[in-house]
Amino acid sequence: MGRGIGYAKTIFFGEHFVVYGIPAIGIGLSKKIEVEIEKSSYMKIESNHADANLLKGIEAIKTAIKVQDNFIVKIKSEIPMRSGLGSSAAISVAFVRAISDEYKLNLSDEQISSYAYESEKIYHGTPSGTDNTLATFGGAIIFQKREGGNLITPLKIGKPFHIVIGNTDKRKSSTSEIIAAVKSRKEKNPEIYEYFFNAEKKIIEFAIKAIEYGNLEELGELMNLNHGILSAIGVSSKENEDIVQTARNMDALGAKITGAGCGGSCVILAKNEKNAEEIANEIKKMGYFVISAMVQ
Ligand code: MEV
């Protein structure tokens, strides 16, 4: 029997643009997915997540690691699927770790993340690699997709801050469909999208400084700007806007979509712990799943 764990994540800044090589800021969360594998004569997944691609993703990892055995794969998850919180990457990472445990492979975190990326490609088409990186390493990072090796830089947190994540559980499209829709809109309006890309680059550059220097007011402003761009490229929804507006009306420093959007989740930067609690309660009242975290 082998066991492994993968963590949830929030993309704080840079979702979608990261697919095209712009750096993203990601934060690992403590919510996790646990995978347990037991050798069997056939492959079977036991999970409360119905997802047709789950088995395909797991097979892709087996092929990459050159494992021919079959398993009963038990998935225990604290992360909702299609939530923008990296559930598929967390499953992939947990499965690779379970394989490493079963066969005593002693895989390094770099190897774990890179095998997990094989199934991310099945789930998401052309993923950036941010999700599997955060699901493996956790922490706060700057992630940049690059030919010949992604650039992963740990991010220093100048002043701890409180985030609240509201998950709408209302996503009809998959991440790969949303990425493809953004690509097609970008191809229709390349000049305008160039402005969005340049603005996003600046937002990330300033957000890194705001996080490092603990300038939380500025960080919140930048989240609001980033959300505006995500709405402009067509990845917001009524539910996303409801959460963002509710949080802003309650004096949050900033609020935006996190992850692929079109439903999924929003991340909110609260003023302080009390403000975070109040916002979390309000979003729960709206009927949504909430995760609160202190980033330090
Ligand atoms: C999905 O969590 C985030 C996207 O930027 C896709 C990716 O980075 O692979 C939309």
Side-chain angles (χ1 to χ4, degrees):
M1 174 150 356
R3 284 201 182 89
I5 278 178
Y7 290 97
K9 65 96 208 350
T10 179
I11 298 193
F12 206 30
F13 286 89
E15 48 278 277
H16 286 290
F17 295 89
V18 66
V19 172
Y20 298 89
I22 288 185
I25 301 173
I27 294 171
L29 301 169
S30 58
K31 293 269 178 221
K32 59 183 184 307
I33 286 182
E34 285 176 63
V35 166
E36 204 178 272
I37 56 170
E38 202 176 330
K39 275 195 200 149
S40 160
S41 53
Y42 55 93
M43 280 301 288
K44 184 177 173 216
I45 297 186
E46 289 179 8
S47 158
N48 46 1
H49 289 322
D51 190 314
N53 278 331
L54 215 54
L55 190 57
K56 282 193 205 152
I58 279 178
E59 288 292 356
I61 293 173
K62 277 175 56 189
T63 307
I65 313 185
K66 300 192 175 63
V67 168
Q68 273 156 11
D69 292 326
N70 289 321
F71 309 96
I72 309 280
V73 182
K74 290 186 188 150
I75 301 175
K76 253 202 319 205
S77 172
E78 299 173 352
I79 316 169
M81 289 297 271
R82 289 192 167 188
S83 59
L85 301 176
S87 57
S88 66
I91 291 176
S92 307
V93 165
F95 179 71
V96 178
R97 285 200 166 123
I99 292 276
S100 181
D101 184 33
E102 171 76 31
Y103 296 97
K104 310 280 171 277
L105 300 178
N106 248 326
L107 295 178
S108 68
D109 279 348
E110 283 76 12
Q111 286 171 310
I112 288 165
S113 179
S114 123
Y115 285 130
Y117 185 67
E118 292 306 311
S119 71
E120 281 292 278
K121 284 191 280 189
I122 305 274
Y123 295 127
H124 303 317
T126 54
S128 60
T130 323
D131 289 11
N132 47 287
T133 302
L134 281 161
T136 309
F137 293 91
I141 59 162
I142 306 166
F143 176 93
Q144 189 167 15
K145 185 179 174 182
R146 280 196 324 187
E147 289 289 322
N150 298 329
L151 195 61
I152 300 159
T153 318
L155 185 56
K156 198 177 111 271
I157 311 288
K159 187 172 170 189
F161 54 86
H162 294 271
I163 57 171
V164 178
I165 294 164
N167 171 238
T168 67
D169 197 23
K170 279 277 180 317
R171 214 164 87 188
K172 288 179 212 82
S173 320
S174 66
T175 300
S176 57
E177 286 163 345
I178 302 171
I179 293 176
V182 169
K183 182 165 179 271
S184 110
R185 286 192 283 268
K186 177 175 177 286
E187 282 164 4
K188 272 191 209 137
N189 270 307
E191 282 176 60
I192 293 173
Y193 269 70
E194 204 178 316
Y195 283 105
F196 292 146
F197 272 72
N198 287 334
E200 183 73 17
K201 252 190 243 165
K202 273 284 159 221
I203 288 175
I204 307 280
E205 196 183 306
F206 292 165
I208 291 170
K209 287 205 186 95
I211 292 172
E212 285 177 344
Y213 291 111
N215 190 347
L216 302 186
E217 301 256 332
E218 163 81 354
L219 190 60
E221 270 306 312
L222 293 164
M223 288 172 76
N224 292 338
L225 284 168
N226 197 158
H227 180 74
I229 296 181
L230 289 167
S231 299
I233 67 168
V235 301
S236 192
S237 72
K238 181 188 175 298
E239 292 80 10
N240 293 131
E241 295 305 323
D242 284 350
I243 292 182
V244 164
Q245 285 311 326
T246 301
R248 287 182 193 162
N249 291 344
M250 294 181 73
D251 284 343
L253 296 176
K256 65 181 275 294
I257 286 167
T258 176
C262 296
S265 295
C266 293
V267 57
I268 295 141
L269 176 63
K271 262 195 321 198
N272 49 40
E273 195 175 353
K274 183 165 173 283
N275 186 227
E277 255 175 52
E278 287 165 356
I279 293 170
N281 286 337
E282 192 58 35
I283 297 175
K284 270 186 217 154
K285 272 196 236 152
M286 292 162 76
Y288 299 135
F289 173 79
V290 172
I291 298 176
S292 299
M294 180 150 126
V295 181
Q296 51 192 343

